[in-house]
Amino acid sequence: MPNRNLLLNSISIITIILALVLVCSSNVNISPAAHATQQQYSMVGKWGSGGIGFGKFSQPLDIAIDPSGNVYVTSFTGLANQIQKFTSNGTFITSWGQLGFGNGLFTNPAGLAIDPSGNVYVGDFGNAQNGIQKFTSNGTFITSWGSTGLGDGQFINPAGITVDSASNVYVGDFGENNRIQKFDSNGKFITKWGTTGSADDQLSGPIGIAVDSSGNIYVSDTGNNRIQKFDSNGKFITKWSVNSPFGIAVDLNGKVYVINQNDASVEIYSPTSP
């Protein structure tokens, strides 16, 4: 049976995240003229439902796609602190993890990413190390890194994580930090970008983060109810509106998968002409 204190901790943290969405969403001010000159995306598919069990989500927070096209999703409450693995069409394959402190256990498994070798990275905040855990594709623990704080290489809430083709690791850290940090494959700090706000290249709750085959970075700017796209050094490219976006991933064809926290579903966007 899950530890009651850990369960309450998970519930209280997700409540804080949802409160951040409600408070900050009123700051959105996206110019129609800007939309006219930027690439747009439209939904082309959707799967999943709320609940506890295989193929269901209880507070789904992040999403990632491996080199074979399999899809991984984190569930974020005390009853379902785990990683689930699916085919690209939503067929359940396997899962691992449970509530607790320590290696291979999760308090708030938020960020999720896959490297070119198929290893799985999970950003777990509220855990003892408040950092990143690394697993094989079948859930075997490999290593962990990170610490709590405001400095380079430290985290407050490492909710989003992605890995590019060179195995550089990008972490979205919301709360007091509201920034993206970039590391090498061993966890060495490289650079960072983002400040708190609602303007282009500013962030309010960067919950999810993903990278495409060209190295561009996509961020679920949850408090601003939008997706922002950057180059690998943090230069702003474009944005589009999404209601309560959390986890995000991009497949080899450029389709963008986004978790809609409001209705516990996965939305899929495809680039269209301006």
Side-chain angles (χ1 to χ4, degrees):
M1 180 176 180
N3 180 283
R4 183 174 183 273
N5 289 332
L6 293 179
L7 176 57
L8 291 174
N9 181 57
S10 292
I11 294 172
S12 64
I13 293 180
I14 194 63
T15 300
I16 291 170
I17 294 174
L18 294 175
L20 172 120
V21 173
L22 293 173
V23 170
C24 297
S25 60
S26 61
N27 294 326
V28 178
N29 183 17
I30 300 176
S31 167
H35 272 293
T37 60
Q38 294 173 359
Q39 188 179 54
Q40 304 299 301
Y41 285 74
S42 58
M43 189 189 303
V44 295
K46 182 174 180 176
W47 49 265
S49 63
I52 303 295
F54 298 151
K56 296 184 178 182
F57 306 125
S58 178
Q59 300 291 356
L61 197 60
D62 206 358
I63 185 169
I65 301 169
D66 70 17
S68 299
N70 296 309
V71 180
Y72 300 72
V73 179
T74 59
S75 287
F76 184 76
T77 70
L79 297 176
N81 277 263
Q82 61 181 200
I83 311 302
Q84 293 193 68
K85 181 178 179 180
F86 303 86
T87 68
S88 60
N89 294 319
T91 301
F92 176 81
I93 298 175
T94 190
S95 66
W96 72 85
Q98 60 182 344
L99 181 65
F101 294 125
N103 297 336
L105 303 176
F106 305 120
T107 302
N108 300 293
L112 181 65
I114 315 294
D115 71 17
S117 299
N119 296 309
V120 180
Y121 298 76
V122 181
D124 188 20
F125 65 85
N127 209 335
Q129 67 270 17
N130 197 26
I132 310 304
Q133 294 194 59
K134 182 177 179 181
F135 302 87
T136 65
S137 61
N138 62 9
T140 301
F141 176 81
I142 298 174
T143 191
S144 64
W145 49 273
S147 62
T148 301
L150 304 178
D152 295 345
Q154 294 185 307
F155 309 109
I156 297 298
N157 297 300
I161 181 170
T162 193
V163 184
D164 66 19
S165 60
S167 294
N168 294 307
V169 181
Y170 301 78
V171 180
D173 191 14
F174 78 91
E176 292 179 75
N177 286 332
N178 271 327
R179 64 185 179 184
I180 308 301
Q181 293 193 74
K182 181 178 179 180
F183 304 86
D184 69 15
S185 59
N186 296 314
K188 181 180 179 181
F189 175 81
I190 297 175
T191 191
K192 63 185 176 184
W193 73 84
T195 58
T196 300
S198 59
D200 294 348
D201 79 14
Q202 290 188 311
L203 301 167
S204 180
I207 302 297
I209 183 170
V211 61
D212 66 19
S213 59
S214 299
N216 297 307
I217 306 299
Y218 298 72
V219 179
S220 289
D221 189 7
T222 307
N224 288 320
N225 284 309
R226 65 185 180 184
I227 305 299
Q228 290 199 70
K229 180 179 178 180
F230 303 89
D231 69 15
S232 61
N233 294 313
K235 181 180 178 181
F236 174 80
I237 297 175
T238 190
K239 65 189 176 187
W240 70 92
S241 297
V242 176
N243 187 28
S244 191
F246 273 53
I248 184 169
V250 186
D251 69 15
L252 296 178
N253 297 315
K255 291 181 180 178
V256 182
Y257 295 69
V258 182
I259 287 176
N260 182 322
Q261 184 64 215
N262 278 353
D263 63 4
S265 67
V266 177
E267 298 182 356
I268 308 170
Y269 294 84
S270 183
T272 59
S273 299

